[in-house]
Amino acid sequence: MIELTRPGKTTLVVENPVMPAAGTVGFDGSAYADLIDLKKLGAIVTNPVSWRPRHAARGSRVVPLPAGALVHTGLPNGGITRVIKQYAARWARSYAPIIVHLIGTHPDDVARCAAALDGREGVAGIELGLHDQASPQDVAILLDALLSATQIPVLVQVPLYNALTLAQAAQDAGAGGLVIAAAPRGTARDPETGQLVGGRVYGPWLHAQALRALGQIAQIAQIPLIGCGGIHSANDARDYLEAGASAVQVDTLTWVQPKQLEVIARNLGGLELTRASGALADEWEPGIGDTILLERKGKRRKPADPPESLPE
């Protein structure tokens, strides 16, 4: 068992150290149920949720880069009331614990969201996403409002380029754990429209910077850390654990190679399959999961079907 928040009566505990990052698998993961065995994940982190509804960004939302992509979504969601109405029953039936990501806007809005989530079956944790321009004082005010409204364990996701300062502030203000880190912001020209677009920048290059930030924070942290950024293999994820993280979140890799999320979860969770005697090279790979194996045999199962009895 892996503790994602500081020890206490409401510690957030998971069985696997691998989970998707906020914004990658929707509000409950069901859109990926045919591609990923969700039971193998440590938790599911939802898309960002706000107190009031937010509309999707206009214009270009994804700009390809030589080593990744710039993503500008506007963090669309129906607001906490609508999200709960639509997904609460699915959260209660979820194969993996649900961590709801809240957008760190106004303290009152954050507190209202937390109060609405308090006691919801299946909701194991809250992840508070901080704005890149947040100050240590902002962090203290937001966390005070959030923690006063719920008993749910709270993680704080800090922005990469102010990670050390805000991680210390979040720890001092009572955060149960830290996510290091939110992808940095950038600007790029959309080749389709010729317009400059601002957004968050993702890619394998982010691994080195986020890993360094986590290593620095691990020197002063007294609460659990979750590494996030640039993970494209099990070894990338393992680097974070070696640097001091208790778990990892995988972001845009899930969009381009969703099966790799399960592969990484199996690898770090000790669930790799044993290679069958006589297996050919194209029939096996390290960390291969039930989902991949069955798909290659043309027997992809439905999410509701019982798992196949394959050796692990």
Side-chain angles (χ1 to χ4, degrees):
M1 304 298 284
I2 300 161
E3 294 184 351
L4 298 186
T5 58
R6 65 176 82 217
K9 294 182 179 179
T10 59
T11 304
L12 174 54
V13 178
V14 298
E15 295 183 357
N16 189 294
V18 179
M19 65 199 77
T24 58
V25 298
F27 292 97
D28 65 347
S30 60
Y32 286 80
D34 284 344
L35 301 172
I36 301 169
D37 187 348
L38 301 177
K39 296 188 296 295
K40 303 304 180 186
L41 304 179
I44 293 173
V45 185
T46 71
N47 278 8
V49 183
S50 54
W51 171 243
R52 295 181 177 84
R54 292 174 63 117
H55 298 291
R58 296 181 178 181
S60 303
R61 299 180 190 173
V62 179
V63 178
L65 300 174
L70 180 145
V71 180
H72 175 49
T73 66
L75 305 180
N77 71 96
I80 190 68
T81 301
R82 184 173 179 180
V83 168
I84 288 175
K85 182 178 181 180
Q86 185 171 355
Y87 295 99
R90 300 182 188 181
W91 292 344
R93 300 192 304 268
S94 176
Y95 290 128
I98 298 294
I99 299 173
V100 179
H101 181 101
L102 298 183
I103 302 170
T105 51
H106 192 277
D108 290 343
D109 291 349
V110 169
R112 293 187 186 103
C113 289
L117 292 168
D118 202 47
R120 294 284 174 182
E121 185 178 358
V123 177
I126 289 174
E127 179 179 286
L128 177 66
L130 298 178
H131 192 277
D132 293 70
Q133 303 305 316
S135 67
Q137 292 76 17
D138 294 332
V139 176
I141 293 171
L142 285 169
L143 271 173
D144 181 65
L146 195 161
L147 294 172
S148 66
T150 184
Q151 296 297 312
I152 301 173
V154 173
L155 299 164
V156 175
Q157 181 195 57
V158 299
L160 177 59
Y161 292 149
N162 201 13
L164 186 60
T165 299
L166 296 188
Q168 182 69 67
Q171 177 176 269
D172 294 344
L178 300 168
V179 180
I180 317 296
R185 295 186 181 276
T187 302
R189 190 177 300 279
D190 180 4
E192 298 294 328
T193 66
Q195 300 296 313
L196 293 177
V197 180
R200 294 197 180 275
V201 185
Y202 298 86
W205 61 271
L206 184 57
H207 176 264
Q209 294 193 34
L211 183 64
R212 181 176 186 273
L214 185 137
Q216 291 178 320
I217 293 169
Q219 301 302 311
I220 56 97
Q222 299 175 345
I223 54 179
L225 306 178
I226 298 175
C228 180
I231 295 176
H232 283 70
S233 69
N235 283 337
D236 288 343
R238 196 171 286 109
D239 288 342
Y240 281 108
L241 301 186
E242 184 175 336
S246 298
V248 297
Q249 293 182 359
V250 180
D251 47 41
T252 52
L253 174 66
T254 305
W255 295 341
V256 294
Q257 294 180 301
K259 297 181 182 69
Q260 289 304 307
L261 176 60
E262 180 185 335
V263 169
I264 294 171
R266 283 178 165 273
N267 193 303
L268 270 67
L271 299 173
E272 289 183 298
L273 295 181
T274 302
R275 182 171 185 171
S277 176
L280 300 177
D282 62 355
E283 296 177 322
W284 182 91
E285 64 187 54
I288 188 171
D290 296 4
T291 313
I292 301 173
L293 185 59
L294 291 171
E295 183 180 83
R296 290 180 179 179
K297 293 181 177 180
K299 299 178 181 179
R300 181 192 292 179
R301 66 175 185 273
K302 298 179 180 179
D305 292 342
E308 300 289 336
S309 56
L310 294 175
E312 295 188 352

